[in-house]
Amino acid sequence: MKYTLAEEDYLKAIYKIAERQGVPVSTSAIADLMQTRPASVTDMLKKLAEKELIDYKRYHGVSLTKTGARWATQLIRKHRLWECFLVDKLGFNWDEVHEIAEQLEHIQSETLIDRLDDYLENPKFDPHGDPIPDASGAYRMRYQILLSDLGIGQRAILVGVREHGSTFLQYLDQNGLALGVDLEILEILPYDGSLRLRLAANDPILISGQVARQLYVRQIPTTG
Amino acid sequence: MKYTLAEEDYLKAIYKIAERQGVPVSTSAIADLMQTRPASVTDMLKKLAEKELIDYKRYHGVSLTKTGARWATQLIRKHRLWECFLVDKLGFNWDEVHEIAEQLEHIQSETLIDRLDDYLENPKFDPHGDPIPDASGAYRMRYQILLSDLGIGQRAILVGVREHGSTFLQYLDQNGLALGVDLEILEILPYDGSLRLRLAANDPILISGQVARQLYVRQIPTTG
DNA sequence: GTCGTACTTTAGCCCTGTCTAAAATTGTCC
DNA sequence: GGACAATTTTAGACAGGGCTAAAGTACGAC
Ligand SMILES: [Mn+2]
Ligand SMILES: [Mn+2]
Ligand SMILES: [Mn+2]
Ligand SMILES: [Mn+2]
């Protein structure tokens, strides 16, 4: 089976919204994410339902069928593997790859993506810390703990980002907040919830609660 | 400027026909190469002329403008670099890459292709021996001598193929006719123009005149 | 239970790219 | 120069994907 670029982008959008907000997924949530109009979404939903990629009941939102979810997962696999390629092989920064991967994910080839996977040595996470589904669609859920969930004195490793905008990612770069860094919460300011962090051996930095809510971490048991 | 996938494929088709048959390029030649209808071609020609990518006079064929030729060359550059990537890095055979490159050539990114070029160490020829334009669009013309142009006793190196179909390429593989092989014409059969060739140190092979007309060679001066 | 607002769908339109069938043009052969 | 065959263009239609404006539905507040 083959689907159009537009159909594929809708499937991916529905998958991502369902992953965060659960089902059913509303027309306006899709329109919002895809920067399009609700009326256009309704039109496409009818087509996707016709092809049995989604379950759709007028006025009550949609959910992906098994087939639809499978296809969405493959798209995410392709997107994330291409991002790995761009960063690991071509030397792009993690804030530059999303747009390009958004195009590359639609390349149709049975074998291309599996060979790319092997060439990259089967990475399990993309440059943003997002898990990469294997050829069967299975993937390990990433730790869902946000930095904002932790308390003073707790230590953690940065393992992912919720927000993918390049402005945000560049901000992280400039503050030494790369994936894998070891950090400790020194202080949480009572006025606005800003956090003071110690990163490795460097001077402490201050980040807003807004930023802390975009950072996924793996907690390190405090051995003291 | 950005163009659609269809527009890009038309530009490439016009470029390729002009390269072989010269200008002006006829509507039916384009329809033929693109597996579409002359009426559809006429529609598109009007749009391309409107955008000043081609010079078009009703009933008299088309030629590319400077802008159109430049864009076509960039597409060919992208197509051929991606083919190199697929063969050199991902291990595809030269008969498997055309379809995939046909899609990859449309990926839009200022920097992607230049980084890919560097990653591949700036190859000058693609897996089929076709020259790869540099970032400015310049490329060295490949030797245009066909194996069928040579006579008995002459030696040559196989440097390219005119036909790109996978059936043909697989036939070449099975007969040891890879790019770079050294060959000598032992005999040209008078009845049908078939050629008997010596390849390196192997047993001689027989190929048809039809095949010989698809093979580009660089002649080796016979030092005897 | 009715009302009002927010959300969703429908109706009608546009643009791209394709097609078939019919009309127009070219250019050759006499 | 005229007739004709091949080529090309136009006319009209359709499918995919999108938009605006108008109409329909759901559901919380009363
Ligand atoms: Mn996409
Ligand atoms: Mn990513
Ligand atoms: Mn193409
Ligand atoms: Mn090639």
Side-chain angles (χ1 to χ4, degrees), chain A:
Chain A
M1 199 44 36
K2 285 183 48 173
Y3 303 105
T4 68
L5 191 148
E7 287 169 340
E8 291 192 334
D9 279 340
Y10 272 97
L11 287 177
K12 218 167 45 115
I14 295 166
Y15 186 92
K16 293 198 159 189
I17 297 166
E19 199 178 36
R20 277 168 189 65
Q21 270 98 54
V23 288
V25 171
S26 75
T27 299
S28 54
I30 298 168
D32 210 52
L33 182 61
M34 297 194 63
Q35 314 248 68
T36 185
R37 298 289 161 179
S40 309
V41 174
T42 300
D43 288 342
M44 180 58 85
L45 293 183
K46 284 189 272 191
K47 292 168 195 163
L48 294 176
E50 186 62 35
K51 298 187 181 187
E52 299 189 47
L53 293 166
I54 60 173
D55 289 317
Y56 172 51
K57 208 130 227 176
R58 256 161 58 265
Y59 291 102
H60 295 279
V62 298
S63 59
L64 293 170
T65 61
K66 208 104 195 166
T67 312
R70 184 69 212 289
W71 200 266
T73 308
Q74 289 310 305
L75 287 167
I76 287 169
R77 167 172 161 79
K78 292 198 275 182
H79 185 103
R80 293 180 182 167
L81 282 172
W82 278 116
E83 284 189 344
C84 286
F85 169 71
L86 295 173
V87 168
D88 297 346
K89 302 296 185 183
L90 296 194
F92 280 92
N93 199 288
W94 68 339
D95 68 301
E96 305 173 308
V97 297
H98 185 77
E99 288 301 304
I100 302 175
E102 200 60 42
Q103 300 175 61
L104 285 165
E105 72 193 358
H106 303 287
I107 301 294
Q108 313 232 346
S109 165
E110 300 277 328
T111 51
L112 172 58
I113 203 66
D114 294 330
R115 296 213 188 194
L116 184 65
D117 193 16
D118 288 342
Y119 183 60
L120 297 170
E121 296 171 33
N122 314 106
K124 296 290 171 273
F125 297 95
D126 84 357
H128 310 101
D130 293 313
I132 299 174
D134 66 22
S136 76
Y139 62 93
R140 280 197 287 289
M141 198 77 165
R142 198 240 331 279
Y143 298 87
Q144 294 292 343
I145 302 166
L146 295 172
L147 179 55
S148 55
D149 297 329
L150 302 186
I152 294 174
Q154 293 193 293
R155 285 182 56 201
I157 289 175
L158 182 60
V159 297
V161 292
R162 251 169 83 93
E163 157 78 42
H164 286 56
S166 63
T167 314
F168 178 66
L169 297 178
Q170 282 166 21
Y171 162 83
L172 296 184
D173 280 340
Q174 281 155 23
N175 287 278
L177 287 162
L179 293 194
V181 298
D182 185 319
L183 50 84
E184 179 182 346
I185 300 183
L186 299 177
E187 186 184 3
I188 301 177
L189 305 189
Y191 174 61
D192 64 353
S194 294
L195 287 77
R196 186 184 306 284
L197 304 178
R198 186 180 51 65
L199 296 183
N202 301 323
D203 287 341
I205 63 168
L206 190 75
I207 65 169
S208 69
Q210 166 84 5
V211 167
R213 280 189 293 278
Q214 304 302 324
L215 302 177
Y216 289 114
V217 295
R218 174 160 49 84
Q219 213 178 334
I220 300 174
T222 42
T223 57

Side-chain angles (χ1 to χ4, degrees), chain B residues 73 121 137-138 171:
Chain B
T73 307
E121 296 171 30
Y171 162 83

